[in-house]
Amino acid sequence: MFYAGFAYYLPNSAEAAVMVVNNPLTHQLDIQRFNAQGFIMRTRSDEGMIRVPRKENDATKSAAQIMSTDFYSGPSIVLI
């Protein structure tokens, strides 16, 4: 069987639970509004493979519960 982990539904749909708003720079108010309505929010803190400090800061302030990034801050791995 297959179950969708994240599916796109319009905000007024009864099935809607998670909203994905990828740009916290330009959609800060949308993230906060959806959050206040009870949605689980996901946003990004980078632009593909480019680190954007201002976007990281805005994503942190946005009230989104999930922040995605391509930059892992864990231990460095050296390949020899």
Side-chain angles (χ1 to χ4, degrees):
M1 282 197 136
F2 175 77
Y3 296 98
F6 290 96
Y8 177 77
Y9 294 100
L10 294 174
N12 60 352
S13 173
E15 294 87 357
V18 177
M19 290 288 126
V20 176
V21 179
N22 285 322
N23 194 336
L25 291 172
T26 58
H27 293 99
Q28 187 79 228
L29 294 177
D30 291 332
I31 293 171
Q32 293 171 357
R33 180 174 46 89
F34 285 136
N35 187 288
Q37 292 173 0
F39 291 104
I40 297 170
M41 293 303 308
R42 181 256 188 207
T43 192
R44 286 195 64 89
S45 63
D46 55 30
E47 297 272 339
M49 291 306 295
I50 300 170
R51 193 167 183 192
V52 183
R54 181 166 174 232
K55 194 170 184 181
E56 290 175 16
N57 190 39
D58 284 356
T60 302
K61 292 179 180 178
S62 72
Q65 291 92 346
I66 304 167
M67 269 192 310
S68 296
T69 183
D70 291 327
F71 297 95
Y72 173 63
S73 63
S76 298
I77 299 173
V78 178
L79 299 176
I80 300 176

Short mmCIF file of all heavy atoms in Angstrom, two decimals, residues 10-75:
data_model
loop_
_atom_site.label_atom_id
_atom_site.label_comp_id
_atom_site.label_asym_id
_atom_site.label_seq_id
_atom_site.Cartn_x
_atom_site.Cartn_y
_atom_site.Cartn_z
N LEU A 10 -5.90 22.60 -1.00
CA LEU A 10 -6.19 24.02 -0.80
C LEU A 10 -6.46 24.25 0.68
O LEU A 10 -6.98 23.37 1.37
CB LEU A 10 -7.38 24.44 -1.64
CG LEU A 10 -7.16 24.39 -3.16
CD1 LEU A 10 -8.47 24.69 -3.89
CD2 LEU A 10 -6.08 25.37 -3.57
N PRO A 11 -6.12 25.43 1.19
CA PRO A 11 -6.30 25.70 2.63
C PRO A 11 -7.72 25.51 3.14
O PRO A 11 -7.92 25.16 4.29
CB PRO A 11 -5.87 27.16 2.77
CG PRO A 11 -4.98 27.42 1.63
CD PRO A 11 -5.47 26.54 0.51
N ASN A 12 -8.72 25.68 2.29
CA ASN A 12 -10.11 25.53 2.73
C ASN A 12 -10.62 24.09 2.61
O ASN A 12 -11.77 23.82 2.90
CB ASN A 12 -11.03 26.49 1.97
CG ASN A 12 -11.01 26.24 0.48
OD1 ASN A 12 -10.21 25.46 -0.01
ND2 ASN A 12 -11.89 26.92 -0.23
N SER A 13 -9.75 23.16 2.22
CA SER A 13 -10.13 21.76 2.09
C SER A 13 -10.09 21.08 3.46
O SER A 13 -9.21 21.32 4.27
CB SER A 13 -9.16 21.05 1.13
OG SER A 13 -9.40 19.67 1.12
N ALA A 14 -11.02 20.18 3.70
CA ALA A 14 -11.08 19.47 4.98
C ALA A 14 -9.84 18.59 5.20
O ALA A 14 -9.46 18.31 6.33
CB ALA A 14 -12.34 18.61 5.05
N GLU A 15 -9.20 18.16 4.11
CA GLU A 15 -8.02 17.29 4.21
C GLU A 15 -6.73 18.06 4.47
O GLU A 15 -5.70 17.47 4.78
CB GLU A 15 -7.84 16.48 2.92
CG GLU A 15 -8.95 15.47 2.67
CD GLU A 15 -10.13 16.07 1.92
OE1 GLU A 15 -10.13 17.29 1.64
OE2 GLU A 15 -11.07 15.32 1.64
N ALA A 16 -6.75 19.37 4.33
CA ALA A 16 -5.53 20.17 4.47
C ALA A 16 -5.03 20.15 5.91
O ALA A 16 -5.79 20.37 6.84
CB ALA A 16 -5.80 21.60 4.03
N ALA A 17 -3.74 19.87 6.07
CA ALA A 17 -3.13 19.89 7.40
C ALA A 17 -1.76 20.54 7.37
O ALA A 17 -1.36 21.19 8.32
CB ALA A 17 -3.00 18.47 7.95
N VAL A 18 -1.04 20.37 6.26
CA VAL A 18 0.31 20.90 6.12
C VAL A 18 0.35 21.88 4.95
O VAL A 18 -0.12 21.56 3.87
CB VAL A 18 1.33 19.76 5.86
CG1 VAL A 18 2.72 20.32 5.66
CG2 VAL A 18 1.30 18.76 7.00
N MET A 19 0.89 23.06 5.19
CA MET A 19 1.07 24.04 4.12
C MET A 19 2.57 24.21 3.88
O MET A 19 3.35 24.32 4.83
CB MET A 19 0.47 25.40 4.51
CG MET A 19 -1.03 25.43 4.57
SD MET A 19 -1.75 25.35 2.92
CE MET A 19 -2.85 23.97 3.13
N VAL A 20 2.96 24.21 2.61
CA VAL A 20 4.35 24.40 2.23
C VAL A 20 4.48 25.77 1.59
O VAL A 20 3.86 26.05 0.56
CB VAL A 20 4.81 23.31 1.24
CG1 VAL A 20 6.23 23.56 0.77
CG2 VAL A 20 4.68 21.94 1.88
N VAL A 21 5.23 26.64 2.23
CA VAL A 21 5.49 27.99 1.72
C VAL A 21 7.01 28.12 1.67
O VAL A 21 7.66 28.26 2.70
CB VAL A 21 4.86 29.08 2.62
CG1 VAL A 21 5.16 30.46 2.07
CG2 VAL A 21 3.35 28.87 2.72
N ASN A 22 7.58 28.04 0.46
CA ASN A 22 9.02 27.92 0.32
C ASN A 22 9.82 29.19 0.51
O ASN A 22 11.03 29.13 0.67
CB ASN A 22 9.37 27.32 -1.04
CG ASN A 22 9.10 25.84 -1.08
OD1 ASN A 22 9.32 25.14 -0.10
ND2 ASN A 22 8.60 25.35 -2.19
N ASN A 23 9.21 30.35 0.47
CA ASN A 23 10.00 31.57 0.55
C ASN A 23 9.58 32.43 1.74
O ASN A 23 8.65 33.23 1.64
CB ASN A 23 9.89 32.38 -0.74
CG ASN A 23 10.95 33.45 -0.82
OD1 ASN A 23 11.48 33.90 0.20
ND2 ASN A 23 11.26 33.87 -2.02
N PRO A 24 10.29 32.30 2.87
CA PRO A 24 9.93 33.10 4.03
C PRO A 24 10.29 34.58 3.87
O PRO A 24 9.80 35.41 4.63
CB PRO A 24 10.74 32.46 5.16
CG PRO A 24 11.92 31.87 4.49
CD PRO A 24 11.42 31.42 3.15
N LEU A 25 11.11 34.91 2.87
CA LEU A 25 11.45 36.32 2.63
C LEU A 25 10.24 37.10 2.16
O LEU A 25 9.96 38.19 2.62
CB LEU A 25 12.56 36.44 1.58
CG LEU A 25 13.95 35.96 1.98
CD1 LEU A 25 14.88 35.98 0.77
CD2 LEU A 25 14.52 36.81 3.09
N THR A 26 9.50 36.51 1.23
CA THR A 26 8.38 37.23 0.62
C THR A 26 7.00 36.77 1.13
O THR A 26 6.01 37.42 0.84
CB THR A 26 8.40 37.08 -0.92
OG1 THR A 26 8.36 35.68 -1.25
CG2 THR A 26 9.65 37.70 -1.50
N HIS A 27 6.96 35.67 1.87
CA HIS A 27 5.68 35.14 2.33
C HIS A 27 5.60 34.97 3.85
O HIS A 27 4.92 34.09 4.35
CB HIS A 27 5.40 33.79 1.65
CG HIS A 27 5.18 33.92 0.18
ND1 HIS A 27 6.17 33.67 -0.74
CD2 HIS A 27 4.11 34.33 -0.53
CE1 HIS A 27 5.70 33.89 -1.95
NE2 HIS A 27 4.45 34.29 -1.85
N GLN A 28 6.30 35.81 4.58
CA GLN A 28 6.32 35.77 6.04
C GLN A 28 4.90 35.83 6.63
O GLN A 28 4.54 35.04 7.50
CB GLN A 28 7.15 36.94 6.55
CG GLN A 28 7.41 36.95 8.02
CD GLN A 28 8.51 36.00 8.44
OE1 GLN A 28 8.27 35.28 9.37
NE2 GLN A 28 9.65 35.99 7.81
N LEU A 29 4.09 36.74 6.12
CA LEU A 29 2.72 36.89 6.64
C LEU A 29 1.85 35.69 6.32
O LEU A 29 1.01 35.31 7.13
CB LEU A 29 2.10 38.18 6.12
CG LEU A 29 2.76 39.47 6.60
CD1 LEU A 29 2.09 40.69 5.96
CD2 LEU A 29 2.73 39.58 8.11
N ASP A 30 2.05 35.09 5.14
CA ASP A 30 1.29 33.88 4.79
C ASP A 30 1.60 32.75 5.76
O ASP A 30 0.70 32.05 6.23
CB ASP A 30 1.61 33.42 3.36
CG ASP A 30 1.08 34.38 2.31
OD1 ASP A 30 0.08 35.06 2.56
OD2 ASP A 30 1.70 34.44 1.23
N ILE A 31 2.88 32.57 6.07
CA ILE A 31 3.29 31.52 7.00
C ILE A 31 2.66 31.75 8.36
O ILE A 31 2.08 30.83 8.96
CB ILE A 31 4.83 31.46 7.10
CG1 ILE A 31 5.43 31.00 5.77
CG2 ILE A 31 5.26 30.52 8.23
CD1 ILE A 31 6.94 31.13 5.69
N GLN A 32 2.72 32.97 8.85
CA GLN A 32 2.13 33.28 10.15
C GLN A 32 0.62 33.12 10.15
O GLN A 32 0.03 32.64 11.13
CB GLN A 32 2.54 34.69 10.57
CG GLN A 32 4.03 34.79 10.86
CD GLN A 32 4.51 36.20 11.07
OE1 GLN A 32 3.76 37.16 10.96
NE2 GLN A 32 5.79 36.34 11.38
N ARG A 33 -0.02 33.51 9.05
CA ARG A 33 -1.48 33.38 8.96
C ARG A 33 -1.91 31.91 8.95
O ARG A 33 -2.81 31.52 9.69
CB ARG A 33 -1.98 34.08 7.69
CG ARG A 33 -3.49 34.01 7.50
CD ARG A 33 -3.96 34.85 6.32
NE ARG A 33 -3.16 34.70 5.12
CZ ARG A 33 -3.40 33.77 4.17
NH1 ARG A 33 -4.40 32.93 4.30
NH2 ARG A 33 -2.63 33.71 3.10
N PHE A 34 -1.25 31.08 8.12
CA PHE A 34 -1.57 29.65 8.09
C PHE A 34 -1.31 29.00 9.45
O PHE A 34 -2.07 28.17 9.92
CB PHE A 34 -0.78 28.91 7.01
CG PHE A 34 -1.26 29.17 5.61
CD1 PHE A 34 -0.35 29.42 4.59
CD2 PHE A 34 -2.60 29.15 5.29
CE1 PHE A 34 -0.78 29.64 3.29
CE2 PHE A 34 -3.04 29.37 3.99
CZ PHE A 34 -2.13 29.61 2.99
N ASN A 35 -0.22 29.39 10.09
CA ASN A 35 0.12 28.86 11.41
C ASN A 35 -0.98 29.21 12.41
O ASN A 35 -1.41 28.36 13.20
CB ASN A 35 1.47 29.40 11.86
CG ASN A 35 1.95 28.75 13.12
OD1 ASN A 35 1.41 29.00 14.18
ND2 ASN A 35 2.97 27.92 12.99
N ALA A 36 -1.44 30.44 12.39
CA ALA A 36 -2.50 30.88 13.31
C ALA A 36 -3.81 30.13 13.06
O ALA A 36 -4.62 29.96 13.98
CB ALA A 36 -2.73 32.39 13.18
N GLN A 37 -4.00 29.64 11.82
CA GLN A 37 -5.20 28.88 11.49
C GLN A 37 -5.06 27.41 11.87
O GLN A 37 -5.98 26.62 11.67
CB GLN A 37 -5.50 29.00 9.99
CG GLN A 37 -5.92 30.38 9.58
CD GLN A 37 -6.05 30.52 8.06
OE1 GLN A 37 -5.83 29.59 7.30
NE2 GLN A 37 -6.42 31.71 7.62
N GLY A 38 -3.89 27.02 12.40
CA GLY A 38 -3.71 25.66 12.89
C GLY A 38 -2.99 24.72 11.93
O GLY A 38 -2.89 23.52 12.22
N PHE A 39 -2.51 25.22 10.81
CA PHE A 39 -1.79 24.37 9.87
C PHE A 39 -0.37 24.12 10.36
O PHE A 39 0.23 24.96 11.02
CB PHE A 39 -1.70 25.01 8.48
CG PHE A 39 -3.02 25.09 7.78
CD1 PHE A 39 -3.70 26.29 7.70
CD2 PHE A 39 -3.57 23.97 7.19
CE1 PHE A 39 -4.92 26.37 7.04
CE2 PHE A 39 -4.79 24.04 6.53
CZ PHE A 39 -5.46 25.25 6.47
N ILE A 40 0.17 22.96 10.02
CA ILE A 40 1.60 22.70 10.21
C ILE A 40 2.29 23.37 9.03
O ILE A 40 1.91 23.17 7.88
CB ILE A 40 1.89 21.20 10.23
CG1 ILE A 40 1.18 20.54 11.41
CG2 ILE A 40 3.39 20.93 10.25
CD1 ILE A 40 1.19 19.04 11.38
N MET A 41 3.31 24.17 9.33
CA MET A 41 3.98 24.95 8.28
C MET A 41 5.36 24.40 8.00
O MET A 41 6.11 24.07 8.89
CB MET A 41 4.10 26.41 8.70
CG MET A 41 2.79 27.12 8.80
SD MET A 41 1.85 27.09 7.27
CE MET A 41 3.03 27.67 6.09
N ARG A 42 5.71 24.35 6.71
CA ARG A 42 7.05 23.99 6.27
C ARG A 42 7.55 25.09 5.35
O ARG A 42 6.84 25.58 4.49
CB ARG A 42 7.01 22.66 5.54
CG ARG A 42 8.38 22.19 5.05
CD ARG A 42 8.40 22.42 3.58
NE ARG A 42 9.55 21.86 2.92
CZ ARG A 42 10.03 22.36 1.81
NH1 ARG A 42 9.49 23.43 1.27
NH2 ARG A 42 11.04 21.82 1.22
N THR A 43 8.81 25.51 5.57
CA THR A 43 9.43 26.52 4.71
C THR A 43 10.88 26.13 4.45
O THR A 43 11.38 25.17 5.02
CB THR A 43 9.33 27.94 5.31
OG1 THR A 43 9.68 28.89 4.32
CG2 THR A 43 10.20 28.11 6.53
N ARG A 44 11.54 26.86 3.58
CA ARG A 44 12.96 26.61 3.26
C ARG A 44 13.81 27.72 3.83
O ARG A 44 13.40 28.85 3.92
CB ARG A 44 13.18 26.57 1.74
CG ARG A 44 12.67 25.32 1.10
CD ARG A 44 13.21 25.16 -0.31
NE ARG A 44 14.65 24.98 -0.32
CZ ARG A 44 15.28 23.81 -0.23
NH1 ARG A 44 14.58 22.72 -0.06
NH2 ARG A 44 16.58 23.74 -0.27
N SER A 45 15.06 27.37 4.15
CA SER A 45 15.98 28.37 4.67
C SER A 45 17.15 28.61 3.73
O SER A 45 18.15 29.21 4.10
CB SER A 45 16.50 27.95 6.05
OG SER A 45 17.24 26.75 5.95
N ASP A 46 17.03 28.12 2.49
CA ASP A 46 18.09 28.35 1.50
C ASP A 46 17.47 28.42 0.10
O ASP A 46 16.27 28.32 -0.05
CB ASP A 46 19.16 27.25 1.57
CG ASP A 46 18.56 25.84 1.43
OD1 ASP A 46 17.54 25.68 0.75
OD2 ASP A 46 19.13 24.91 2.01
N GLU A 47 18.31 28.61 -0.90
CA GLU A 47 17.86 28.66 -2.30
C GLU A 47 18.59 27.57 -3.05
O GLU A 47 19.69 27.78 -3.55
CB GLU A 47 18.22 30.01 -2.93
CG GLU A 47 17.57 31.21 -2.31
CD GLU A 47 16.23 31.51 -2.93
OE1 GLU A 47 15.97 31.06 -4.06
OE2 GLU A 47 15.44 32.19 -2.27
N GLY A 48 18.02 26.39 -3.11
CA GLY A 48 18.71 25.28 -3.77
C GLY A 48 20.03 25.01 -3.10
O GLY A 48 20.08 24.72 -1.92
N MET A 49 21.12 25.17 -3.82
CA MET A 49 22.45 24.93 -3.25
C MET A 49 23.16 26.23 -2.88
O MET A 49 24.38 26.27 -2.79
CB MET A 49 23.30 24.11 -4.23
CG MET A 49 22.81 22.68 -4.39
SD MET A 49 22.65 21.77 -2.80
CE MET A 49 24.33 21.68 -2.27
N ILE A 50 22.41 27.29 -2.66
CA ILE A 50 22.99 28.57 -2.26
C ILE A 50 22.49 28.91 -0.86
O ILE A 50 21.28 28.96 -0.61
CB ILE A 50 22.60 29.70 -3.25
CG1 ILE A 50 23.10 29.36 -4.65
CG2 ILE A 50 23.14 31.04 -2.76
CD1 ILE A 50 22.56 30.28 -5.72
N ARG A 51 23.43 29.13 0.04
CA ARG A 51 23.07 29.52 1.40
C ARG A 51 22.73 31.00 1.43
O ARG A 51 23.50 31.83 0.96
CB ARG A 51 24.23 29.21 2.34
CG ARG A 51 23.84 29.27 3.76
CD ARG A 51 24.91 28.67 4.63
NE ARG A 51 24.45 28.69 6.00
CZ ARG A 51 25.22 28.46 7.01
NH1 ARG A 51 26.48 28.17 6.83
NH2 ARG A 51 24.73 28.50 8.23
N VAL A 52 21.58 31.35 1.99
CA VAL A 52 21.11 32.73 2.04
C VAL A 52 20.85 33.08 3.52
O VAL A 52 19.79 32.75 4.06
CB VAL A 52 19.83 32.92 1.21
CG1 VAL A 52 19.39 34.37 1.21
CG2 VAL A 52 20.03 32.42 -0.22
N PRO A 53 21.81 33.75 4.18
CA PRO A 53 21.65 34.04 5.61
C PRO A 53 20.36 34.78 5.96
O PRO A 53 19.72 34.48 6.97
CB PRO A 53 22.89 34.88 5.94
CG PRO A 53 23.91 34.43 4.96
CD PRO A 53 23.13 34.16 3.70
N ARG A 54 19.95 35.74 5.14
CA ARG A 54 18.71 36.47 5.45
C ARG A 54 17.50 35.53 5.40
O ARG A 54 16.58 35.64 6.21
CB ARG A 54 18.52 37.63 4.49
CG ARG A 54 17.24 38.39 4.82
CD ARG A 54 17.14 39.73 4.15
NE ARG A 54 15.83 40.27 4.43
CZ ARG A 54 14.99 40.73 3.51
NH1 ARG A 54 15.37 40.78 2.26
NH2 ARG A 54 13.81 41.17 3.84
N LYS A 55 17.50 34.60 4.44
CA LYS A 55 16.40 33.66 4.33
C LYS A 55 16.39 32.70 5.54
O LYS A 55 15.33 32.35 6.05
CB LYS A 55 16.50 32.87 3.03
CG LYS A 55 15.24 32.13 2.68
CD LYS A 55 15.31 31.59 1.27
CE LYS A 55 14.02 30.93 0.88
NZ LYS A 55 14.07 30.37 -0.46
N GLU A 56 17.58 32.30 6.01
CA GLU A 56 17.68 31.48 7.22
C GLU A 56 17.06 32.22 8.41
O GLU A 56 16.30 31.64 9.19
CB GLU A 56 19.13 31.16 7.55
CG GLU A 56 19.80 30.21 6.59
CD GLU A 56 21.28 30.04 6.91
OE1 GLU A 56 21.72 30.42 8.01
OE2 GLU A 56 22.00 29.53 6.04
N ASN A 57 17.39 33.49 8.54
CA ASN A 57 16.88 34.31 9.63
C ASN A 57 15.36 34.46 9.54
O ASN A 57 14.64 34.29 10.53
CB ASN A 57 17.56 35.68 9.61
CG ASN A 57 17.26 36.49 10.85
OD1 ASN A 57 17.21 35.96 11.95
ND2 ASN A 57 17.05 37.78 10.67
N ASP A 58 14.85 34.75 8.35
CA ASP A 58 13.41 34.92 8.18
C ASP A 58 12.67 33.59 8.39
O ASP A 58 11.57 33.57 8.93
CB ASP A 58 13.08 35.49 6.80
CG ASP A 58 13.36 36.98 6.70
OD1 ASP A 58 13.74 37.58 7.73
OD2 ASP A 58 13.20 37.54 5.61
N ALA A 59 13.27 32.48 7.95
CA ALA A 59 12.65 31.17 8.17
C ALA A 59 12.54 30.87 9.66
O ALA A 59 11.53 30.36 10.14
CB ALA A 59 13.44 30.08 7.47
N THR A 60 13.58 31.23 10.42
CA THR A 60 13.57 31.02 11.87
C THR A 60 12.49 31.85 12.54
O THR A 60 11.82 31.40 13.46
CB THR A 60 14.96 31.35 12.46
OG1 THR A 60 15.93 30.54 11.82
CG2 THR A 60 14.99 31.11 13.94
N LYS A 61 12.29 33.08 12.08
CA LYS A 61 11.29 33.98 12.66
C LYS A 61 9.87 33.71 12.18
O LYS A 61 8.93 34.26 12.71
CB LYS A 61 11.64 35.43 12.32
CG LYS A 61 12.88 35.94 12.99
CD LYS A 61 13.13 37.37 12.55
CE LYS A 61 14.36 37.96 13.17
NZ LYS A 61 14.58 39.34 12.69
N SER A 62 9.70 32.88 11.17
CA SER A 62 8.42 32.75 10.48
C SER A 62 7.33 32.02 11.26
O SER A 62 6.18 32.09 10.89
CB SER A 62 8.62 32.02 9.15
OG SER A 62 8.91 30.65 9.38
N ALA A 63 7.67 31.27 12.29
CA ALA A 63 6.72 30.44 13.04
C ALA A 63 6.44 29.11 12.36
O ALA A 63 5.56 28.37 12.79
CB ALA A 63 5.41 31.17 13.34
N ALA A 64 7.17 28.78 11.29
CA ALA A 64 7.01 27.48 10.65
C ALA A 64 7.58 26.40 11.57
O ALA A 64 8.62 26.60 12.20
CB ALA A 64 7.73 27.45 9.30
N GLN A 65 6.89 25.27 11.65
CA GLN A 65 7.37 24.18 12.49
C GLN A 65 8.47 23.37 11.81
O GLN A 65 9.26 22.72 12.48
CB GLN A 65 6.21 23.23 12.85
CG GLN A 65 5.20 23.83 13.77
CD GLN A 65 4.05 24.50 13.02
OE1 GLN A 65 4.12 24.75 11.84
NE2 GLN A 65 2.99 24.80 13.74
N ILE A 66 8.52 23.39 10.48
CA ILE A 66 9.51 22.62 9.73
C ILE A 66 10.28 23.56 8.82
O ILE A 66 9.69 24.32 8.07
CB ILE A 66 8.83 21.53 8.87
CG1 ILE A 66 7.98 20.62 9.75
CG2 ILE A 66 9.88 20.73 8.09
CD1 ILE A 66 7.03 19.73 8.97
N MET A 67 11.61 23.51 8.91
CA MET A 67 12.48 24.29 8.03
C MET A 67 13.37 23.32 7.26
O MET A 67 14.10 22.55 7.88
CB MET A 67 13.38 25.23 8.82
CG MET A 67 12.82 26.58 9.04
SD MET A 67 14.03 27.75 9.65
CE MET A 67 14.77 26.91 11.02
N SER A 68 13.31 23.36 5.95
CA SER A 68 14.14 22.50 5.13
C SER A 68 15.38 23.25 4.67
O SER A 68 15.33 24.45 4.42
CB SER A 68 13.37 22.02 3.89
OG SER A 68 12.29 21.23 4.28
N THR A 69 16.48 22.52 4.55
CA THR A 69 17.72 23.10 4.04
C THR A 69 18.54 22.01 3.37
O THR A 69 18.39 20.82 3.69
CB THR A 69 18.54 23.77 5.16
OG1 THR A 69 19.70 24.37 4.58
CG2 THR A 69 18.96 22.78 6.23
N ASP A 70 19.41 22.40 2.46
CA ASP A 70 20.36 21.47 1.86
C ASP A 70 21.70 21.53 2.56
O ASP A 70 22.64 20.87 2.16
CB ASP A 70 20.55 21.81 0.37
CG ASP A 70 19.29 21.52 -0.44
OD1 ASP A 70 18.58 20.56 -0.09
OD2 ASP A 70 19.02 22.24 -1.40
N PHE A 71 21.80 22.33 3.62
CA PHE A 71 23.05 22.52 4.34
C PHE A 71 22.96 21.88 5.71
O PHE A 71 22.34 22.41 6.63
CB PHE A 71 23.39 24.01 4.46
CG PHE A 71 23.61 24.64 3.12
CD1 PHE A 71 22.60 25.30 2.46
CD2 PHE A 71 24.85 24.54 2.49
CE1 PHE A 71 22.80 25.87 1.21
CE2 PHE A 71 25.06 25.10 1.25
CZ PHE A 71 24.04 25.76 0.61
N TYR A 72 23.59 20.74 5.86
CA TYR A 72 23.60 20.01 7.11
C TYR A 72 24.69 20.58 8.01
O TYR A 72 25.83 20.75 7.58
CB TYR A 72 23.85 18.53 6.83
CG TYR A 72 24.05 17.68 8.06
CD1 TYR A 72 23.03 17.53 8.98
CD2 TYR A 72 25.25 17.03 8.28
CE1 TYR A 72 23.19 16.76 10.11
CE2 TYR A 72 25.42 16.25 9.41
CZ TYR A 72 24.40 16.12 10.31
OH TYR A 72 24.57 15.35 11.43
N SER A 73 24.36 20.89 9.24
CA SER A 73 25.33 21.53 10.14
C SER A 73 26.05 20.53 11.04
O SER A 73 26.66 20.92 12.02
CB SER A 73 24.63 22.58 10.99
OG SER A 73 23.66 21.95 11.81
N GLY A 74 25.97 19.26 10.70
CA GLY A 74 26.62 18.23 11.51
C GLY A 74 28.11 18.17 11.28
O GLY A 74 28.71 19.10 10.71
N PRO A 75 28.73 17.10 11.73
CA PRO A 75 30.19 16.99 11.62
C PRO A 75 30.65 16.95 10.17
O PRO A 75 29.96 16.44 9.30
CB PRO A 75 30.50 15.68 12.33
CG PRO A 75 29.22 14.91 12.31
CD PRO A 75 28.12 15.93 12.31
#
